[in-house]
């Protein structure tokens, strides 16, 4: 009887340790996948929908100059949707969600040479 309890305890302990390791790995992967970096933004444009929210939360663009934004994000998307004279527009990718029929865009508006507003929109 004692042997069976010890064996069950060992199995439970092993299962618990493996579960914690998997949860830790999943959290690290999720965090990396959703964390902004200039290199990831420029070199992996398909990841932009995953990192755009982190960009806006961790790097407030308001008050930055055009050259500072371009240093951080690189050149804007050519022939971008909703492009106007005083803004930069970056393609993020397909719209997030179940019915992804549109594209998402990061719009950065300038006033007096500095970022005045940033938002994500769809076409």
């Amino acid at each position: 009887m004692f042997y069976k309890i010890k064996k069950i305890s060992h199995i439970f302990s092993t299962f618990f340790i493996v579960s914690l390791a998997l949860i830790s790995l999943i959290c690290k992967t999720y965090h990396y996948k959703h964390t902004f970096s200039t290199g990831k933004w420029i070199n992996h444009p398909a990841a932009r929908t995953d990192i755009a929210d982190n960009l806006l939360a961790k790097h407030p663009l308001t008050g930055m100059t055009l050259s500072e934004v371009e240093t951080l994000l690189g050149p804007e998307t050519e022939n971008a949707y909703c492009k106007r004279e005083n803004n930069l527009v970056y393609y993020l990718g397909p719209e997030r969600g179940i019915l992804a029929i549109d594209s998402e865009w990061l719009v950065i508006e300038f006033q007096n040479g500095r970022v005045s507003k940033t938002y994500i929109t769809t076409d």
Side-chain angles (χ1 to χ4, degrees):
M1 177 89 172
F2 180 72
Y3 176 74
K4 287 183 180 183
I5 292 172
K6 190 175 179 181
K7 187 175 181 179
I8 290 171
S9 177
H10 180 68
I11 291 171
F12 179 74
S13 297
T14 303
F15 174 75
F16 183 73
I17 290 170
V18 170
S19 296
L20 284 178
L22 285 173
I23 289 169
S24 176
L25 180 64
I26 290 168
C27 289
K28 286 181 181 180
T29 302
Y30 178 87
H31 178 71
Y32 173 77
K33 183 179 178 184
H34 292 84
T35 301
F36 169 82
S37 74
T38 298
K40 194 185 301 184
W41 181 271
I42 293 171
N43 298 321
H44 303 287
R48 288 181 179 174
T49 52
D50 294 330
I51 61 177
D53 293 330
N54 184 258
L55 161 69
L56 296 176
K58 302 290 182 178
H59 300 276
L61 303 176
T62 303
M64 293 178 83
T65 65
L66 175 69
S67 64
E68 290 171 333
V69 173
E70 288 182 331
T71 298
L72 183 66
L73 302 178
E76 69 178 319
T77 304
E78 292 182 22
N79 303 318
Y81 174 78
C82 65
K83 175 65 181 150
R84 294 191 177 70
E85 185 176 325
N86 290 323
N87 73 7
L88 292 176
V89 182
Y90 293 89
Y91 175 71
L92 298 180
E95 179 179 26
R96 292 171 270 190
I98 296 173
L99 298 173
I101 57 174
D102 293 326
S103 298
E104 288 190 18
W105 301 86
L106 172 63
V107 180
I108 304 169
E109 294 183 357
F110 290 85
Q111 190 171 33
N112 300 323
R114 300 227 175 238
V115 175
S116 60
K117 184 178 180 183
T118 59
Y119 58 92
I120 294 175
T121 189
T122 57
D123 59 7

